[in-house]
Amino acid sequence: MAATQFNLLTALGLREGHRLLDVGCGSLRAGRLLIPYLLPERYCGVEPDRELVDEGIRHEVGADLVRQKRPRFAHTAEFEFESFGEVFDYVIAQSIFSHAALEQVRRCLDGLAAVTHRDSVAVATYYEGERDHEGDTWTYPECVSYRPPTIERLAAEAGFRAAPLAWPHRHGQTWLLLLRSDRTAPPPAIAAEWDAPRLEGEREATRYRIATLAAERDRALARLAAMRSHPAVRAVLAARRLLLRMLRSVRRRGGG
């Protein structure tokens, strides 16, 4: 997923001098690639769990690189992006909407509108569904889904145009390209040379989902086998077989 996010952003034009906001940066899964790539003070990450970021610095990025690149972090769950005092050229919000309540999605989009300029590029992911999630709080580790028209409406209310992106996601989420409604530059286009990596990424994502489903199937079969071998279950099955034999015997006598 780190490479997926990094490749998508650079395919959409991210360069070392741009300012990037990573919403839900966690333990710096994408940050470990983005922080070295960007110039100093160009990376800002939002993550409510301070310990996750500290673990990412210790195990993924390193204190020396942090001193050199000077990334900044905000530990808040309220989508208060203005605390950085920056206007961002690029924003990524990977797997945020997939756990958020509708009101939280709205607040996130409103927050992004306040810290982007008219030619900024934002990308986000969510799960498409036939109905909108009706919860009113953050849901984790469970995931939620929304109808595409709902997400597009919320984006429009915040001043963005939302369009799906043909980019792989190993967990089956949909990538969204969010552009300001007042944008003057042409929409960013993913160059043709990215077609082969994109298709390979989709193939890898499909293989991953197949492997995950196969593992779930094997676990379910193992649980079923264990249940069938349990003495209590075996006794119930034996009693059921005996009852069926008795019923068949009664029917035969009745028919004679």
Side-chain angles (χ1 to χ4, degrees):
M1 281 306 304
T4 296
Q5 296 175 71
F6 182 84
N7 287 342
L8 174 58
L9 288 168
T10 53
L12 289 170
L14 176 70
R15 297 297 180 262
E16 62 178 11
H18 288 131
R19 298 186 183 277
L20 171 77
L21 176 64
D22 187 356
V23 182
C25 62
S27 56
L28 306 182
R29 176 160 47 181
R32 67 188 180 91
L33 300 180
L34 292 164
I35 292 171
Y37 175 69
L38 296 170
L39 294 176
E41 300 181 356
R42 299 300 202 276
Y43 176 94
C44 291
V46 177
E47 173 54 51
D49 191 341
R50 182 187 298 269
E51 180 58 29
L52 274 181
V53 175
D54 292 342
E55 288 181 2
I57 292 173
R58 285 195 300 267
H59 301 297
E60 302 291 348
V61 180
D64 290 340
L65 187 62
V66 167
R67 282 192 292 270
Q68 176 188 351
K69 293 292 187 171
R70 301 187 294 280
R72 287 177 289 158
F73 301 97
H75 303 289
T76 174
E78 299 304 320
F79 307 107
E80 297 168 341
F81 308 135
E82 292 177 281
S83 62
F84 292 110
E86 296 283 1
V87 175
F88 296 98
D89 306 299
Y90 283 81
V91 177
I92 185 164
Q94 197 278 135
S95 202
I96 301 300
F97 299 169
S98 54
H99 300 287
L102 202 63
E103 179 58 29
Q104 291 173 314
V105 175
R106 178 181 288 108
R107 293 208 310 270
C108 181
L109 290 167
D110 288 341
L112 294 181
V115 295
T116 52
H117 54 78
R118 62 185 182 184
D119 293 329
S120 297
V121 175
V123 292
T125 68
Y126 78 106
Y127 279 109
E128 291 189 24
E130 296 181 355
R131 296 192 305 171
D132 294 329
H133 171 61
E134 297 180 352
D136 57 2
T137 188
W138 184 257
T139 303
Y140 190 86
E142 293 78 15
C143 295
V144 302
S145 61
Y146 293 102
R147 297 180 303 118
T150 300
I151 295 295
E152 292 170 8
R153 174 177 57 81
L154 292 181
E157 291 174 357
F160 291 100
R161 295 191 301 269
L165 269 175
W167 199 260
H169 192 290
R170 72 182 308 171
H171 299 296
Q173 296 190 45
T174 296
W175 282 100
L176 279 177
L177 176 65
L178 298 164
L179 301 178
R180 292 271 296 257
S181 299
D182 58 351
R183 183 181 179 87
T184 57
I190 297 177
E193 60 262 26
W194 282 96
D195 280 348
R198 177 180 63 82
L199 292 173
E200 177 58 32
E202 290 179 352
R203 184 159 52 244
E204 192 276 337
T206 301
R207 286 197 296 263
Y208 177 84
R209 288 196 289 273
I210 290 173
T212 300
L213 291 173
E216 292 176 355
R217 177 205 60 199
D218 293 342
R219 286 193 294 270
L221 291 174
R223 287 195 296 269
L224 182 60
M227 289 175 59
R228 286 176 172 170
S229 64
H230 192 278
V233 175
R234 292 174 63 181
V236 170
L237 293 175
R240 181 175 179 273
R241 289 193 294 269
L242 177 60
L243 179 60
L244 289 174
R245 286 198 297 269
M246 293 173 62
L247 289 172
R248 286 195 293 267
S249 177
V250 168
R251 291 194 186 100
R252 284 198 298 270
R253 287 198 300 270

